[in-house]
Amino acid sequence: TTTINQGGEVATNVKPGKLFINNEWCDAQSGKRFDVINPATEQKLTDVAEADGKDVERAVSAARQAFETGPWHKISARERGRFLSKIASLLEKNKEELAVLETLNNGKPISETLNVDLPLSIECLQYYAGLADKIHGDTIPVNGNFFNYTLREPVGVVGQIIPWNFPLLMAAWKLGPALATGCTVVLKPAEQTPLTALRLAELIQEAEVPAGVVNVLPGYGPTAGAALASHKDVDKVAFTGSTEIGRLVMKMAAESNMKRVSLELGGKAPNIVFADSDLDAAVAGAMRGIYFN
């Protein structure tokens, strides 16, 4: 929890974090934990449970059960939209607390988390709440006495690996479409910035999303992330991060079960500035593109 007093100072009492698996809070099977640091002060904020392959196995199993036999596979698209809308409303209700928590853990200014990260996260979930019951197939004319059509169905269990620069927003970007389409999720936040993902899991629990639909596992890439990307019962992996790690994720996905992959990598593309352009504006745009967190 976080509060801001009248003098503008931030008082923090960030509780230790656990893994969120099958709508339950639990320790890692190894018992390991790791420290979460405030990058502005380099002081410890709290510590959280450290997931590894065994915990990924538990979470994937919970997500698979929720997808195959749990209530999630029976819930209508409109009901899925209502769940997303409820999560968005809870984000709105707790906006200031989440903004402060993101700033403490990520280090970006409170003006950015309050006016960029939180509003965009809320809008993303609201968007997919509205989209959930509007995903249609097509009928396709073909020769002969045949009826040809497409039917859009959920992929299944989706592993989601989130970066440190926009922790809550990137989680919303990945959770929104997955939940709207009926998938279940195992989400691994960046080890540097797990706190808002864990708080989001509390809100998902408060929204009464069925057990196993969303699982959140703080942990490190070579252990938890690799186990998720290479798991044979994960149907898709979505990763945002470096090009180097993206190549590894793609390789693990291919070698395990040819799972679907979506990657957002790099982000330091060249800029071409033409001779007749506004140089000051070009420099300002390039600076913002590279260094806006």
Side-chain angles (χ1 to χ4, degrees), residues 25-281:
W25 295 96
C26 55
D27 293 317
Q29 287 197 21
S30 67
K32 291 182 180 179
R33 303 183 67 82
F34 64 93
D35 290 346
V36 180
I37 304 299
N38 179 339
T41 64
E42 298 186 346
Q43 299 299 308
K44 177 181 174 180
L45 284 167
T46 187
D47 54 77
V48 300
E50 180 187 332
D52 60 19
K54 291 181 179 179
D55 304 298
V56 170
E57 190 66 43
R58 291 164 58 203
V60 171
S61 177
R64 175 58 60 190
Q65 184 175 1
F67 180 74
E68 299 277 358
T69 60
W72 193 244
H73 86 288
K74 298 178 182 177
I75 285 174
S76 70
R78 186 160 296 178
E79 287 178 285
R80 294 198 299 267
R82 290 193 187 106
F83 277 118
L84 282 166
S85 183
K86 193 170 183 180
I87 297 167
S89 296
L90 288 169
L91 284 181
E92 181 73 51
K93 179 182 176 182
N94 296 276
K95 181 168 68 173
E96 291 189 5
E97 175 208 341
L98 283 157
V100 172
L101 191 61
E102 196 81 299
T103 286
L104 287 169
N105 192 189
N106 170 277
K108 66 174 70 180
I110 187 66
S111 59
E112 185 178 324
T113 55
L114 196 56
N115 298 306
V116 178
D117 296 58
L118 263 298
L120 290 179
S121 298
I122 294 164
E123 289 175 9
C124 175
L125 295 177
Q126 289 171 335
Y127 175 86
Y128 284 105
L131 184 68
D133 62 353
K134 301 172 184 66
I135 302 169
H136 308 296
D138 300 293
T139 57
I140 305 156
V142 292
N143 293 330
N145 187 25
F146 301 103
F147 178 62
N148 190 17
Y149 68 97
T150 60
L151 175 67
R152 299 188 184 277
E153 296 180 315
V155 170
V157 177
V158 182
Q160 302 181 339
I161 303 173
I162 310 300
W164 57 265
N165 60 340
F166 288 88
L168 184 62
L169 180 58
M170 294 296 103
W173 279 16
K174 286 177 169 53
L175 280 171
L179 297 183
T181 53
C183 297
T184 56
V185 171
V186 179
L187 184 145
K188 191 201 85 66
E191 62 269 21
Q192 300 92 340
T193 53
L195 297 185
T196 48
L198 293 174
R199 184 70 180 104
L200 177 60
E202 290 184 334
L203 299 181
I204 288 169
Q205 193 174 35
E206 186 177 340
E208 299 181 330
V209 175
V213 173
V214 178
N215 307 271
V216 179
L217 303 183
Y220 290 91
T223 50
L228 195 55
S230 60
H231 199 292
K232 292 185 178 181
D233 213 21
V234 172
D235 301 295
K236 174 180 175 172
V237 61
F239 171 80
T240 299
S242 71
T243 304
E244 177 187 13
I245 302 302
R247 288 193 181 99
L248 294 176
V249 168
M250 182 176 284
K251 182 179 180 181
M252 286 183 281
E255 291 178 345
S256 56
N257 60 345
M258 291 290 287
K259 62 174 60 66
R260 300 185 188 193
V261 177
S262 60
L263 305 172
E264 181 193 359
L265 309 176
K268 298 296 181 284
N271 288 258
I272 298 174
V273 182
F274 290 97
D276 61 348
S277 65
D278 182 336
L279 186 59
D280 290 339

Side-chain angles (χ1 to χ4, degrees), residues 91 154 281 290 293:
L91 284 181
I290 295 170
N293 213 35

